[in-house]
Amino acid sequence: MAATKLSIIGAGSAAFSLRLVGDLCKTKELAGSLVSFMDIDENRLNAVYVLAKKYAEELGVDLEFETTTSVEDAIRDSSFVVNTALVGGHSYFEKVRRISEKYGYYRGIDSQEFNMVSDYYTISNFNQLKFMYDVAKMIEKFSPKAWLLQAANPVFELTNLISRNVPINMVGICHGHHAVDHMIEVLGLDKNKVDWQVAGVNHGIWLTRFLYEGKDAYPLIDKWFEEELASWKPTNPFDDQLSPVAKDMYEFYGKMPIGDTVRNGSWKYHYNLETKKKWFGEPWGGVDSELGWKWYQERQAEVAITMQKVARYFQENPEAKLLSRETYDEIVSLAKDEVKEEFTQEVFKILDPEKKSGEQHILLVNALLNNEKVDLVLNVLNKGALPGIPDDVAVEIPVYADKDGIHPYQVEPDIPERIKKMYLMPRILRMEWALEAFLTGDRRVLEEFLIRDPRTKSYDQVVKVIDEVLGLPENEEMRKHYSNSRK
């Protein structure tokens, strides 16, 4: 057993932070650890602290908690730093999106081929890239042996940026591969009899191996599409793993896209709302349409407000038991009807004293500290794991972790050449362009992104949209960064 200090940057994202706390509480080998919550929003920070402390106390778990608004204080003496911060929040993304659409860029200039996820900005997201880079440099300075667990997007760009430029231990973490579990459930398979692998890059992973009882299980996917797809309807905007777009990508590329990869196809699926509805289903057209994203944002905001209400409830009722049915009913009653189901599910997952969240962060921490070997899917530099992909490109692949570090498994069979040449390499190039712009401060690289964009009709359009984005008050540093490069 080994206690540690784990810091969560951007801890005001209450549901995520509490999932990690729940996993810590259910990992006895990490008893005695200190969790440092860092956020600039003190109301959200306090809510997380109150709920985490209450949960640990009721489970009788030896964990300490602290809060801080200082990144440096959170990092000092940490062994692990989970960075889940979103600089400027979603409100900044919506400002950029509104400006972009004024100039003819549907869903924003950052919605690019093979990168359509609505909060995975790479062109206008200088502040996020800069903050994450600065956090990594602080880790190098104040806790050089610590591990950075990069959870906030854009994970692909950030894992490459930091791994190449800051000499610290770091890994990118995502949970998109859990979509395989959803698919197994829908297909009615016994999870214990399935052998699967995924590989690719973050938000661009593919089901390279899918066996059931030792036999190729892809025919079971084919059968489901043939018999069930015609009557399929999404249950929510995120429900797309077995959608028409997933089937179409599978038929073209030869393997199933997994998780957020389904959202990240070509323009074929994203020209406008009507197109999105055709491929992702009615009524939303997927989570990255204007309708789907509105649904998501409203629920995220309401869940955050509800978490603060729950924290106040326990402050006002200190004798209330978090794990009692009476308290559970009271907590659920605080949520509005439109988010009650999602909130109830989230609360149930967090409060279940036996089941872990499915997030990989604490599993990795326990493996590295206590040699509890665990299989994971992580973002690490390729270093030969995927033939044909440069060694210094971060790939999302199956690995195992133990006290000696993170070790890739062999990806068998390999990713098909069509996926490498027509999906992964174009996505990798866009990552390289984003890092080139950030590292050089050359505005012309930002412009080149849009010059090559099919929505662009003139160079004047490119100049005007970038000028207006740079003119936003919160982009003062970004404006200076790119001020001397235009010729």
Side-chain angles (χ1 to χ4, degrees):
M1 295 174 60
T4 189
K5 178 182 176 182
L6 180 141
S7 299
I8 304 176
I9 310 298
S13 176
F16 176 77
S17 296
L18 290 174
R19 284 184 218 131
L20 300 192
V21 170
D23 288 347
L24 275 168
C25 288
K26 299 162 194 173
T27 307
K28 62 181 185 298
E29 296 90 348
L30 296 174
S33 294
L34 168 65
V35 182
S36 181
F37 295 123
M38 181 275 152
D39 204 282
I40 60 172
D41 187 323
E42 295 193 35
N43 290 328
R44 290 189 172 197
L45 194 60
N46 182 63
V48 171
Y49 175 79
V50 168
L51 294 172
K53 196 167 185 292
K54 185 74 174 176
Y55 186 45
E57 286 174 355
E58 287 199 23
L59 285 182
V61 177
D62 179 18
L63 288 177
E64 294 183 48
F65 302 97
E66 66 177 21
T67 63
T68 179
T69 57
S70 166
V71 177
E72 181 180 322
D73 289 347
I75 288 174
R76 283 186 182 275
D77 302 317
S78 289
S79 296
F80 299 91
V81 178
V82 178
N83 198 342
T84 185
L86 182 59
V87 179
H90 281 104
S91 61
Y92 169 71
F93 291 162
E94 294 313 304
K95 288 181 184 180
V96 173
R97 205 182 321 273
R98 285 193 294 271
I99 291 171
S100 302
E101 293 192 329
K102 183 172 75 173
Y103 290 98
Y105 294 95
Y106 174 63
R107 301 304 295 148
I109 58 174
D110 292 272
S111 291
Q112 292 285 318
E113 196 161 50
F114 312 122
N115 187 27
M116 297 288 182
V117 171
S118 293
D119 58 359
Y120 210 96
Y121 280 29
T122 59
I123 300 174
S124 66
N125 215 7
F126 171 84
N127 296 327
Q128 179 82 344
L129 297 177
K130 179 68 163 54
F131 177 76
M132 299 301 170
Y133 181 81
D134 289 346
V135 167
K137 294 297 288 184
M138 277 191 246
I139 292 172
E140 180 189 11
K141 181 177 180 180
F142 299 117
S143 295
K145 295 183 179 180
W147 277 85
L148 169 60
L149 312 185
Q150 184 60 47
N153 287 327
V155 167
F156 186 38
E157 277 72 15
L158 290 168
T159 305
N160 281 285
L161 173 66
I162 295 168
S163 294
R164 294 174 181 180
N165 294 284
V166 186
I168 60 171
N169 298 311
M170 81 90 60
V171 63
I173 302 183
C174 189
H175 50 213
H177 62 280
H178 287 312
V180 177
D181 294 329
H182 170 71
M183 193 166 62
I184 290 170
E185 181 180 349
V186 172
L187 294 175
L189 306 181
D190 181 345
K191 184 178 178 179
N192 296 319
K193 297 179 180 179
V194 178
D195 176 14
W196 60 269
Q197 270 192 348
V198 295
V201 300
N202 184 238
H203 287 195
I205 57 173
W206 303 80
L207 188 62
T208 54
R209 185 165 77 221
F210 192 48
L211 304 176
Y212 188 60
E213 296 182 327
K215 297 179 181 179
D216 181 16
Y218 260 99
L220 300 178
I221 299 175
D222 298 334
K223 185 173 185 289
W224 190 94
F225 279 137
E226 182 181 346
E227 297 178 355
E228 305 293 340
L229 186 59
S231 60
W232 173 87
K233 287 190 178 298
T235 57
N236 62 68
F238 285 94
D239 182 12
D240 58 16
Q241 184 55 64
L242 289 166
S243 62
V245 62
K247 177 178 183 287
D248 196 66
M249 292 175 73
Y250 161 41
E251 290 177 344
F252 179 74
Y253 290 106
K255 295 292 181 182
M256 275 292 289
I258 295 299
D260 295 310
T261 313
V262 179
R263 299 161 64 184
N264 276 339
S266 67
W267 281 107
K268 178 179 182 179
Y269 316 110
H270 297 279
Y271 287 119
N272 49 44
L273 181 58
E274 182 181 358
T275 301
K276 287 176 179 286
K277 286 183 176 181
K278 171 186 174 182
W279 291 107
F280 289 89
E282 298 274 5
W284 302 285
V287 71
D288 298 300
S289 74
E290 50 268 50
L291 300 180
W293 198 244
K294 182 174 184 289
W295 180 96
Y296 169 68
Q297 286 190 300
E298 288 175 350
R299 277 157 177 74
Q300 285 292 98
E302 188 56 40
V303 167
I305 291 170
T306 305
M307 284 292 189
Q308 292 177 44
K309 290 179 183 177
V310 172
R312 283 198 298 272
Y313 171 79
F314 284 111
Q315 288 176 314
E316 295 167 1
N317 301 275
E319 301 304 316
K321 296 295 184 183
L322 184 59
L323 300 178
S324 74
R325 182 71 205 189
E326 179 183 355
T327 302
Y328 178 82
D329 291 340
E330 180 66 29
I331 288 173
V332 171
S333 74
L334 295 172
K336 288 185 177 179
D337 288 343
E338 56 265 34
V339 299
K340 197 175 291 291
E341 182 179 352
E342 294 100 311
F343 185 72
T344 302
Q345 291 175 353
E346 187 65 50
V347 169
F348 180 78
K349 288 179 185 177
I350 293 171
L351 296 186
D352 186 333
E354 302 297 330
K355 190 175 181 180
K356 293 184 179 179
S357 69
E359 300 289 356
Q360 300 184 95
H361 308 72
I362 304 307
L363 294 171
L364 176 59
V365 168
N366 194 36
L368 294 171
L369 276 181
N370 296 310
N371 203 31
E372 291 287 335
K373 181 185 174 184
V374 64
D375 292 342
L376 303 166
V377 177
L378 298 176
N379 291 266
V380 295
L381 292 184
N382 185 33
K383 296 181 179 179
L386 296 182
I389 304 298
D391 285 349
D392 68 343
V393 167
V395 292
E396 188 165 310
I397 54 174
V399 303
Y400 70 91
D402 58 21
K403 65 180 177 58
D404 296 319
I406 297 170
H407 318 278
Y409 281 113
Q410 181 178 0
V411 175
E412 179 61 39
D414 191 15
I415 297 175
E417 285 300 303
R418 177 173 287 193
I419 292 176
K420 290 182 182 179
K421 293 175 179 177
M422 299 192 71
Y423 188 97
L424 293 181
M425 291 310 296
R427 178 64 184 96
I428 289 167
L429 285 175
R430 284 165 172 78
M431 174 275 293
E432 298 289 6
W433 300 347
L435 298 195
E436 176 74 8
F438 176 78
L439 292 171
T440 65
D442 191 340
R443 173 188 164 128
R444 294 170 300 175
V445 181
L446 299 182
E447 293 177 350
E448 195 65 30
F449 256 108
L450 299 183
I451 289 168
R452 302 180 185 202
D453 190 307
R455 298 167 293 180
T456 297
K457 308 304 178 188
S458 71
Y459 179 60
D460 185 59
Q461 177 188 1
V462 170
V463 171
K464 286 180 177 178
V465 70
I466 292 178
D467 280 346
E468 192 159 339
V469 169
L470 291 176
L472 288 169
E474 53 265 71
N475 281 342
E476 181 179 357
E477 188 175 3
M478 180 182 180
R479 190 163 56 249
K480 291 177 181 177
H481 186 68
Y482 291 109
S483 63
N484 298 316
S485 57
R486 189 173 160 216
K487 297 178 180 179

